[in-house]
Amino acid sequence: MEQNLEKKTKGAIMTKKDSSLYLVIIVVIASLLGYFTIYKNIMGEYSLNASEAFMLMLAALAIGEVVSIRTKAAIPSIFITAGIFIIGFWTIFPKDILEISGIGKSMPGLFVMIMVTHLGTMLDKDELVAQWKTVVVTLAGMAGVCLMVMTVGRLLVGTEVAATATPPLTGGLVSAIIMQGAVEGNEYLVVIAMAMYVLQGFVGFPLINLCLKIEGKNVLTRYRTGEISLEDINGGKKDKKETKSSLRIFPETSGQYKTDYIILLKTLVLVVISGYLQNLTNGVVSKYVFALLVGVLAAETGFIERKPLETSRSFGLFITIIMMFVFAGLSSVTIEVLKSIIINFIILIVLATIGIALLSIPIGKKIGLSKSMAFAIGLGSIAGGFPASYVLSNEAAKLLSDNDNEYELLLEHFLPKTLVSGFVSATSGSVIIAGLFVSLFF
């Protein structure tokens, strides 16, 4: 007994010593980083190098994840990280931090195409067809934005501001760029167009996160009581890997040829083909939409393995670079910009959110979706599409689930819907709306 007590006491002492040692090491590291990377940079005595710039962006991403984990996704990581980047650009982050870190201008765009293709391989043809409900609800949400902003919003902020803000509020970056071109010469409207796209996530992210948490808890309750199973979510298939597609024409690649280089090469071939298809349609259909569809078809025919980035052990790097690129876009959000547009932004984002709720929830309910899932789908338009759609779905699934089966269940339930919603709004629908608004109002 005494020996056991002595061992426990020694263990406790060792633990305290270890903790003290860890704390000292962390303080020393933090002090060095704070002095050389932050203090000297602020004082103008030192410029960030590539590794330091990359480290600062990675630290912002990591802090966001820590907060999300500690709050059990009550505060989404993407929300916290966006805030850190904005404050960083006001203080120690140089405006060109992405370029300083060694990430070229064209690299993130390429990585997004690769990632979208990867996500396409996770879906199958039946799943894609089954997402007609998502398309309907997404279009309803976009219609709600247009309705509220161009009626009530028009009265409150004026026609020009409302018309400039509406397309970015229904989707992504391309629509914001189109509207900036349309209002060129009017500095305030140029700022409004991009600010609506950049800032809308501060409302969209937490709301989608809340909806997915409500939906996830309901799905898990039904799963744990045996009311539904993973097969129900998968459309009756136990495991996609075990299910042979009727469209398969390529023989299965033998294990020795499933190398990182070969898998990534096949992925890039699909990316290039998606670009060709966009050119053939004269840009009417976005290359991102084609990348998703080509990914589905390539996996169904057996040309490429499902989840190629995970198989090639490169998923983490790709999503990290993409997220850094997204948040680096916040460099334009200065204190002066916020002061000039904050009132109009609050009015318009509130109206857009109300418009989404008014149309997406009742229409979603009529076609068999829950209120929370319908609202989450509708809100996809003010979350900017991919990569937010993936990050929020993955985060909610990870933090709500207790094991791998539950995680897979929730991801299978969330991801196809949020991805399709993002592509319908951000890469297609909002671009069409932007074109219409340019011809109607400018």
Side-chain angles (χ1 to χ4, degrees):
M1 177 76 75
E2 289 180 1
Q3 286 180 343
N4 289 337
L5 185 60
E6 188 178 344
K7 285 181 181 178
K8 287 181 180 179
T9 305
K10 284 183 179 179
I13 293 170
M14 287 299 290
T15 303
K16 286 180 181 178
K17 284 182 178 179
D18 290 343
S19 298
S20 300
L21 180 60
Y22 296 153
L23 184 60
V24 169
I25 292 171
I26 290 170
V27 169
V28 170
I29 292 173
S31 300
L32 287 171
L33 292 175
Y35 179 72
F36 287 104
T37 304
I38 298 175
Y39 175 74
K40 278 189 165 288
N41 185 43
I42 291 174
M43 298 303 292
E45 299 174 8
Y46 181 75
S47 296
L48 295 178
N49 60 35
S51 59
E52 290 165 340
F54 199 96
M55 179 195 67
L56 285 176
M57 291 192 290
L58 197 56
L61 292 169
I63 291 169
E65 283 206 332
V66 169
V67 172
S68 177
I69 291 168
R70 294 300 295 268
T71 62
K72 297 190 181 298
I75 305 174
S77 64
I78 202 167
F79 180 87
I80 296 296
T81 302
I84 293 172
F85 265 83
I86 288 178
I87 294 170
F89 285 122
W90 292 351
T91 53
I92 63 169
F93 284 17
K95 300 293 183 183
D96 58 347
I97 190 170
L98 202 66
E99 288 75 24
I100 292 173
S101 70
I103 301 172
K105 290 183 179 179
S106 60
M107 185 187 293
L110 171 63
F111 278 22
V112 169
M113 284 290 289
I114 294 170
M115 183 63 70
V116 171
T117 305
H118 163 87
L119 295 171
T121 68
M122 295 172 65
L123 308 174
D124 60 39
K125 65 181 190 305
D126 297 326
E127 232 171 14
L128 202 60
V129 172
Q131 293 309 316
W132 67 269
K133 293 181 180 179
T134 299
V135 174
V136 170
V137 173
T138 303
L139 294 175
M142 294 170 71
V145 172
C146 295
L147 179 65
M148 287 298 292
V149 173
M150 293 309 296
T151 54
V152 180
R154 193 173 183 178
L155 294 174
L156 296 175
V157 302
T159 299
E160 283 193 331
V161 171
T164 303
T166 298
L169 286 171
T170 62
L173 178 61
V174 176
S175 60
I177 292 172
I178 291 172
M179 296 314 297
Q180 279 191 319
V183 300
E184 191 175 1
N186 187 324
E187 188 176 340
Y188 181 72
L189 293 181
V190 169
V191 170
I192 281 285
M194 190 53 66
M196 285 298 149
Y197 164 70
V198 170
L199 296 176
Q200 60 186 311
F202 283 94
V203 175
F205 298 157
L207 283 178
I208 291 176
N209 178 265
L210 177 62
C211 290
L212 292 180
K213 283 184 71 177
I214 294 170
E215 177 72 6
K217 286 176 181 177
N218 291 336
V219 169
L220 284 178
T221 298
R222 294 170 63 200
Y223 173 70
R224 288 164 181 168
T225 57
E227 188 179 338
I228 60 170
S229 64
L230 182 58
E231 289 88 329
D232 296 324
I233 302 294
N234 276 340
K237 290 171 281 189
K238 284 189 177 182
D239 190 337
K240 286 183 184 180
K241 293 179 182 177
E242 296 175 2
T243 306
K244 278 198 173 183
S245 168
S246 59
L247 297 179
R248 189 176 188 95
I249 56 175
F250 290 93
E252 186 173 351
T253 306
S254 60
Q256 61 184 331
Y257 292 109
K258 287 183 181 178
T259 67
D260 297 349
Y261 296 150
I262 292 173
I263 291 170
L264 287 174
L265 173 62
K266 289 194 283 187
T267 308
L268 262 296
V269 167
L270 300 179
V271 167
V272 171
I273 290 172
S274 301
Y276 292 158
L277 292 173
Q278 176 183 258
N279 293 338
L280 289 174
T281 63
N282 291 320
V284 173
V285 181
S286 167
K287 61 185 179 181
Y288 298 107
V289 174
F290 277 125
L292 185 73
L293 298 175
V294 167
V296 173
L297 184 62
E300 287 286 299
T301 57
F303 174 78
I304 195 169
E305 296 76 15
R306 294 196 184 275
K307 303 182 181 179
L309 295 187
E310 291 182 19
T311 306
S312 63
R313 296 167 294 186
S314 52
F315 181 88
L317 177 61
F318 278 84
I319 195 67
T320 299
I321 300 296
I322 290 169
M323 295 310 297
M324 286 178 176
F325 167 68
V326 170
F327 291 121
L330 296 172
S331 61
S332 60
V333 184
T334 63
I335 296 176
E336 291 72 25
V337 167
L338 281 180
K339 285 179 180 177
S340 68
I341 61 99
I342 189 66
I343 300 300
N344 283 343
F345 172 75
I346 292 172
I347 291 170
L348 293 171
I349 196 69
V350 168
L351 290 175
T353 305
I354 292 171
I356 291 169
L358 286 176
L359 291 187
S360 65
I361 292 176
I363 288 176
K365 194 174 178 183
K366 281 187 178 180
I367 59 178
L369 294 172
S370 67
K371 291 179 182 178
S372 55
M373 195 70 246
F375 195 27
I377 291 169
L379 287 166
S381 64
I382 59 169
F386 180 84
S389 52
Y390 171 80
V391 173
L392 292 167
S393 296
N394 184 64
E395 186 172 72
K398 187 185 294 182
L399 293 172
L400 287 172
S401 56
D402 291 337
N403 52 57
D404 289 343
N405 286 338
E406 290 183 354
Y407 168 73
E408 186 181 351
L409 174 86
L410 292 180
L411 198 62
E412 289 285 348
H413 184 63
F414 295 151
L415 197 54
K417 298 177 181 66
T418 55
L419 279 179
V420 171
S421 170
F423 284 114
V424 170
S425 60
T427 63
S428 300
S430 65
V431 176
I432 295 171
I433 290 172
L436 287 173
F437 271 55
V438 169
S439 60
L440 287 173
F441 299 101
F442 299 99

